[in-house]
Each structure stands twice: as structure tokens, then as C-alpha cells.
Amino acid sequence: MGSNISDDLKSAALVYHTHPKPGKLEIQPTKPLGNQRDLALAYSPGVAAACEAIVEDPDRAGELTARQNLVAVVSNGSAVLGLGNIGPLASKPVMEGKAVLFKKFAGIDVFDIEIKADEVERIVDVVAALEPTFGGINLEDIKAPECFDVEEQLKARMDIPVFHDDQHGTAIIVGAAVTNAMVLAGKDLSQIKVVTSGAGAAAIACLNLLVTLGVKRENITVTDIEGVVYQGREAQMDRWKAVYAQDTQARSLADVIAGADVFLGLSAAGVLKPHLLEKMAERPLIMALANPNPEIMPDEAQAARPDAMICTGRSDYPNQVNNVLCFPYIFRGALDVAATTINEEMKAAAVKAIAALAREAPSEVVARAYGGEARPFGKQSLIPSPFDPRLILRIAPAVARAAMESGVARRPIADFEVYEDSLQRFVFRSGFLMKPLITKARAEPKRVIYAEGEDERVLRAAQVLLEDGIARPILIGRPSVVETRLKRFGLSIRPGVDFELVNPEDDPRYRDYVATYLDVAGRKGITPDAARTLVRTNSTVIGAIAVRRGDADALICGLEGRFASRLRHIKDILGLAPGVREYSAMSLMITNKGAYFLADTHVRPDPTAEEIADMTVACAEHVTRFGIAPKIALVSHSDFGSADTPSAMKMREALQIIRERAPALEVDGEMQADTALSQIIRERVMPHSRLEGEANVLIMPNLDAANIAYQLTKGLADALPVGPILIGPARPAHVVTPSVTARGIVNITAIAVVEAQAAP
């Protein structure tokens, strides 16, 4: 994990962990505390009622406290991936990171607990004493073989789920991959031969689960640093490893690899040599999971065995075995039924759910989000992507059902349809909305030109864009300034090597750019003198001309100066897309409650009903790129005819135009904002509304309303803004605002790249 970090990534990581406040977590209250009565309810004397209720019925702690959605991530730092025994204090950033994954992927709250204890008994005593606080325990980065004893003893002593993710998380993903690989190979699990390299906690857990799934113990051969695990061996043996000791004279991996259907590597880089693959069975599965460098690199393995299926632990190759595929969702299902443990039935259910998801045809929404290029089930897609939004929808219910059927659920789910609907709503509150667009952008990166190329935020964003393969940046800026700032900020990218740099003071295309500018804007008040000046001094003009001439595919500008002036230059040079009468701007606001698209936040002061209809249809098309089905509300101070003011009547008229032009859209109005966001309120005022559930696209009657809503949401709801997304230019161009962050630039770039990919 830490051995091959570049200097710039190390520097960026330290800044990330330090600002705006240290660490990655904070505690947020979930109840109001705004007056004396709130205080009386939250603490003395009102809290006594909750305490007494729990005394009478301990199970009520799950409904009266946060316990049933609270997990402890516990480590002593003795086996941190890639770093080794670094101790509990140094392991804290890793455990905070694990906590963030729980929250982001499954909405589970976490306290990370780093304990200064190496002895099994002390670890067990400390963790077991925490049972009243937590709904589940996630053990992390505790070295083998102690981790086996720790988990075994805690499961015996505690009446809540205890899950060592290093063991079982890896095992579940491996189980799903093996299941699907054998389906593709046409082999029965009971007949396959498995050979491992590595016999630590993860390897043993993988083998145990494979046996549960149907692999025969006698068909498994284990190797480790001492060679084959055979009966009678004494060096580096323990009771868990001894279960897989074979009666054999073989002593090395080379001796046992012949005829193997599956190679499972959880050991070290380079252990599996290409010539050994020649001895494996037809259509073998090679799981080279050592990190950061696998037992054999996939390209080497594929060259030696073209018929092989290959998995690694790396994100830059297909079939990444990543524990985030399962652990958040296993805990989600276990917590939601108040399970007393995570048993073999629940783990097997997770394996089956993950394997089945990989075999599913991508849904229309998912396929659209990934640009229609989601891989079908096959050699390169044995397991789902860690960011597949359907993971929680498949795994959590499967685990919950298995807990109920195996008798360990204290609070069974009565209506799975309602439960699954709640998980569906969470998917779009999780903050990973940009992932599908980023994935799509990576498939075909485009040239994006940045008007403010000297700005620190653009430089930092360019580093990320290049590392992640999202875009090919072109920066407008003076070479001496850019070079100085790259050095100051500790960034490793270099102009002319990693990205193109356009020097506005000395560009060989200057005369051509002036000619182009006069050609497109000469009748819009731009004189030859003005054109010559602007092509030297105005970076937005330079960037827009570059896009116009095909020297770049998209433009990002607006970090400095006024939005309106930037917009005017873009309109003069790039013009309108076919069928578009005027630009509009939509802003995506990602909040803790959900994601909302607001329009028009930046362009049209007082659009007509016809313009609102145009804007609504265009916004809906953009929203689908995020893999979201648009649910549109035309927002007003009026609620379905409660007032006949000009703005209310305008929204009413716009609805009729939209329904004629795009009858399939789920849209209704005019309605108040709270009506748009609440099905209950809407049913009260308009029982037969065409809009179902909560609106996610809010179309405002004018610029004042939209921009005020945008600024308030950003400030009061601590929302992450994406955009504004400019709708209507003939070629992709976006005008951000001066408050944009480097992260915001990366997000709007991904949107611009996907637009450029779709351009004719």
C-alpha cells in the first residue's frame, strides 16, 4: 500500500488528511438541539425515558440509540496491508479510511478503535467489553495466526456480528470469482483442483469458504514460504493450516501446479513463473492477489496461457478482488435484521449474490451511465465493479434473508419490497454519482482546454486527470509561471511531456486564431484590433477558438472574472447546438439527503414558458448520463393552481408544452419546493400527480429563485456542487464559478469529456 507511492501523491495525501480539518471523520448530531425543550428531550430529564425502556427491553436499544447502525473498526496495527506491523497509532488513518468506506457505500456509522494490545487475551477482553456500544465489530489488520483466535473467541463471547474482513471479505470475493470462472470453464466445483501460494488469514479463509461452496478438501494443496503444506511438516505450522496438509512427497509449487484448475495467490510478487502456467488445466483461473505487485502480472499470464481467466487486487486490471465489493453490504444486511453473528450461510449468500450480479445483463440505467459499454459477463468480468450501484441492492437483502432463514436475526424484515426500496433510495444519496461518468470518460479521454491554466486548482486537477486517465489537459498559461507553480505545489506533471501548454503571449497559431475569431464574431461587434488584443489577452477567447478549430474537444473556464462575460465569448465563438434557442445552466448538488439538479442557476434571468420547456427536456437528457431516471418538478410559490401569479401561470404553461413535446418524461407542476420533495405532501394536495416519490430535478421559474436555491443549498446543506453544467453550446464548454475546487474541476471535466465523446 505504501511502498510505491509517488512523491506528489504522498504530498497530496498529507494535504488531504490535514485540511480543512485533521482526519477523515467527524460526529454529527441527528436530532435538533435548538431550545430548552430539545435539551430536555435529549438529555436530562427526558433521556431517562429511553434508558428505562431499554432496561425493560434491551432490544429497544436498536430503535432508541444509534447502536444498530454503529460498527467498530478495530485494529492493533500488527498487519497493515503493504506496511506491516506499524502499530495502532500509525494504523489510525487506515481505519478512518475503512470507516469512510462503510459510511459512503452503505450508510453505516463507524468508530475506529485502535488498541495497544498484542496478546490474544487482551485484544479479546478489550473488544468484548465494547458490546453494549456497537451493532457489529469489523476486525482489521490483525496478524495471523492471532487473528484466528481473536475472531473465534469474540464470536463465542459476543452476541453481535464479528467479522475479520481480511479473512472473510477476501474469501467472499474469491468465492464469487471462482464460482463464475468455473461456470465459464464448464467445470464442477467438486471436481476442480486448487493450488495456493500463501497460507495466511486470507488464504485459509478463502479455502474454508471454497470448501463450503463445494470444493473438496482433498483437492486443495497449500504452499507457503516453507513450500508445500504436507502431513508431518513442523516448520511454521498451526492448527488452521494443518487442516489442509496433504499426504504427499511434493515440496514446492512447481511440484503441485500440474493440472490445477485454480491458482490462488495471496503471497508475494513474482512467485508464479510463466512456465508453470503451462502445466495448469485447460481454461484455468489465476488469482494473483498479492498487492501492490501480484504473483504474476496479467499480461505475462495471458501471454503464457491465452485461455486463462485472471484476477488481481489491482484497480488497473479487470476482475479486481476488492473487499469493498462486499463488507459494507454484508454488515448492512446483518445490522438491518439485528443479527447475532455473521455465519457461513450469510457469507455463502453474499457469494451467490455477487456471482449472480456479475452474470446479470446491465440494467438500462447502468448501461446508460457507463456509456452503453458495460462489459457483459465473461473472462474480463467475473466479478462486478466495486462501484456498481446494484451491489447493495443484491447483497444486503441476500444476507438479511440468510440471517433470518438460519435463525440469527433478532429483528426480521417484514416487507422486503419496502426494504429494497429504502436501499434503492440510498444508492442515490451515497455521493458516488460521478463515478459512472468518470468511468465513461476514461474509456476515451478527450482534449480539454483550461482557460485559467496557471491557477493552482487547475494544476492540481490536471495531475489527477492525467493519473486517472480521465482527460488530456491543455493549459493556457505563461510557461515560466506554470513551471514555478508546479514546483511550488510539488506536482510531478510537466508541460510538453504530460500536457500541452498554450502560451498566450507567443503561440504560433496566433494569426490563424485571430482570423477564426473575426470570421465567427466579426459581425458581433468584434473589430480586427479587438480580435488581435483578445486573442493575446483573453484566455476564454483562446480556449473557445481552440475548440472551434478542433485543437481541443472541450473548454473549461470561469475560475476568475464574471460568468456573463465568459458566456458571451463562448456564445460568440461556439454558437448554439442545433435546435437550441438559448443557453441554460444546471447545477448538481450532492447532499447528505440526496442528489438534486437545479436549473437554471446561472444564465436566463426570466425564461418564457417555451424556454422553460426547452430547458427541462435538455436537463432530463443530461441527468440520464449520471445513470439517474429524472423525476422533474416545475417549482413555484404556487401549488397546483393555488395562485395565478405570472410566474405560476408560466410554469403551468411550460408543463403543457413539455407533455406535448416529451410525453414520456416524469414531470409535474407547478408545485412548491416541499411538495416536490415529499410524496406525502404531494398526495395531500394532488393525489394523482404524475410525479412519483421525491423529485430530483427542480426547474425554477427564474434566475433569482434558482441561484438563491443553489447558493443556500451549497451553504446550509454543506452540499458538494458539480457544475454549473452549461447546456446548449454547439461544442462542449462549461463556465465554472470562482469558488470551484480542484475536485470540482475534475468533476466538470468528466462531464465535458463524456459530452465530447457523444459529439458528432
Side-chain angles (χ1 to χ4, degrees), residues 371-567:
E373 296 178 5
R375 286 194 185 108
F377 176 55
K379 284 177 60 174
Q380 294 194 314
S381 53
L382 297 173
I383 45 182
S385 160
F387 289 95
D388 192 318
R390 297 170 296 173
L391 283 164
I392 192 171
L393 307 178
R394 302 292 186 273
I395 299 172
V399 169
R401 286 184 191 275
M404 291 164 56
E405 291 168 1
S406 61
V408 298
R410 281 183 299 214
R411 193 174 60 217
I413 291 170
D415 189 331
F416 267 88
E417 187 174 332
V418 172
Y419 176 57
E420 289 166 3
D421 183 60
S422 72
L423 296 176
Q424 180 78 43
R425 290 198 304 273
F426 170 77
V427 167
F428 297 112
R429 294 200 305 267
S430 62
F432 285 97
L433 287 174
M434 287 304 304
K435 189 64 185 177
L437 270 78
I438 289 172
T439 301
K440 169 65 174 156
R442 282 176 177 160
E444 189 187 351
K446 295 292 185 179
R447 300 163 301 165
V448 180
I449 191 165
Y450 299 85
E452 292 85 10
E454 298 174 359
D455 191 285
E456 176 185 357
R457 293 165 291 176
V458 170
L459 295 172
R460 291 193 180 279
Q463 178 91 36
V464 173
L465 293 165
L466 285 162
E467 287 179 350
D468 291 352
I470 295 169
R472 288 145 51 197
I474 303 170
L475 275 54
I476 302 173
R478 294 161 293 177
S480 60
V481 174
V482 170
E483 290 277 13
T484 299
R485 292 183 178 179
L486 287 171
K487 186 175 180 180
R488 180 194 307 165
F489 304 139
L491 301 174
S492 64
I493 55 174
R494 292 292 173 260
V497 177
D498 302 300
F499 64 91
E500 180 183 342
L501 182 62
V502 175
N503 181 1
E505 298 174 346
D506 183 22
D507 188 274
R509 299 166 295 187
Y510 170 71
R511 292 183 185 278
D512 293 335
Y513 274 36
V514 170
T516 299
Y517 194 20
L518 284 172
D519 185 49
V520 299
R523 293 183 179 274
K524 299 174 183 175
I526 301 299
T527 65
D529 283 345
R532 283 190 286 270
T533 300
L534 287 168
V535 174
R536 282 274 190 233
T537 61
N538 191 303
S539 58
T540 299
V541 169
I542 297 169
I545 294 172
V547 174
R548 171 91 189 196
R549 289 171 54 87
D551 296 335
D553 301 305
L555 165 67
I556 307 294
C557 63
L559 281 83
E560 302 167 1
R562 295 184 178 277
F563 189 97
S565 63
R566 300 286 188 272
L567 194 65

Side-chain angles (χ1 to χ4, degrees), residues 35 53 76 94 137 154 251 288 294 522 719 746 755:
N35 53 44
N76 66 354
V94 179
I137 304 291
L154 285 174
R251 293 296 182 263
V746 170
E755 288 175 327

Side-chain angles (χ1 to χ4, degrees), residues 154-234:
L154 285 174
K155 291 181 85 166
R157 287 177 59 172
M158 303 182 80
D159 205 24
I160 58 175
V162 177
F163 187 83
H164 186 210
D165 187 45
D166 301 322
Q167 295 182 54
H168 308 301
T170 303
I172 287 165
I173 310 305
V174 165
V178 171
T179 297
N180 278 346
M182 296 306 103
V183 167
L184 281 178
K187 299 177 182 179
D188 190 290
L189 286 176
S190 66
Q191 302 300 315
I192 64 172
K193 176 181 177 180
V194 178
V195 173
T196 80
S197 175
I204 296 301
C206 289
L207 297 178
N208 291 344
L209 188 53
L210 288 176
V211 170
T212 298
L213 295 173
V215 177
K216 292 183 178 178
R217 197 180 301 270
E218 58 267 27
N219 292 342
I220 296 172
T221 304
V222 176
T223 70
D224 61 9
I225 196 169
E226 294 288 335
V228 173
V229 174
Y230 59 89
Q231 290 181 11
R233 197 183 98 173
E234 297 181 359

